[in-house]
Amino acid sequence: MTKALIIIDVQKGMFAYGDPYEGERVVGVLSHALATARREGAPVVFVQHDGGEDSPLARDSEGFAIHEDLAPREGETVIVKRFCSAFQDTDLLDTLSEAGVTEIVVGGMQSEFCVDTAVRGAFERGIAVTLIADGHTTFDTPALPAAQIIAHHNHTLKSGHFASVEAGADIAF
């Protein structure tokens, strides 16, 4: 079984919206997972959201860039998406298939949107998923504070059998 790390939408522009809940701590957790994946020779895929012309995540803006603490290295895959799903209208599935990936480890932003959709999309495609419990984040909303959104997604994705959920310190490749 080949396991890959997928880091979703941890872009400079996400921090321009305001402060994501424990954003820098989450970047640290993802940085540790990234170092582990690289050390163990696991494939690494970065996903960037192109939010369109007037977005802080517009392709030609500074906000489109991946957070500097998680910068891709030469030869690492970067997938650009325009929808919540990292699989919709991208070559992510082909990229994973060509690398023989049968399991992914997922972390990033935002828990209730692109992270959730990537987990469910991978599950629907027969790919085993591990969600990094402390490696995804979001913002407070009028309906729920970010901490509750994160806890809800950890619980729902695990109890719904979409993913196993593990702490970043326990992730291995």
Side-chain angles (χ1 to χ4, degrees), residues 82-134:
R82 295 177 299 119
F83 303 98
C84 278
S85 175
F87 292 96
Q88 185 176 350
D89 291 341
T90 72
D91 63 353
L92 178 57
L93 183 59
D94 291 338
T95 298
L96 296 174
S97 295
E98 288 169 12
V101 171
T102 56
E103 181 176 353
I104 60 173
V105 175
V106 176
M109 295 180 74
Q110 288 180 256
S111 304
E112 74 275 37
F113 294 116
C114 300
V115 171
D116 177 86
T117 306
V119 168
R120 292 171 191 260
F123 173 82
E124 289 171 352
R125 289 162 176 84
I127 301 168
V129 182
T130 299
L131 176 63
I132 306 173
D134 52 348

Side-chain angles (χ1 to χ4, degrees), residues 61-78:
S61 73
E62 188 175 309
F64 183 70
I66 294 170
H67 192 288
E68 57 275 359
D69 291 350
L70 301 170
R73 289 185 179 167
E74 183 82 27
E76 292 177 331
T77 302
V78 177

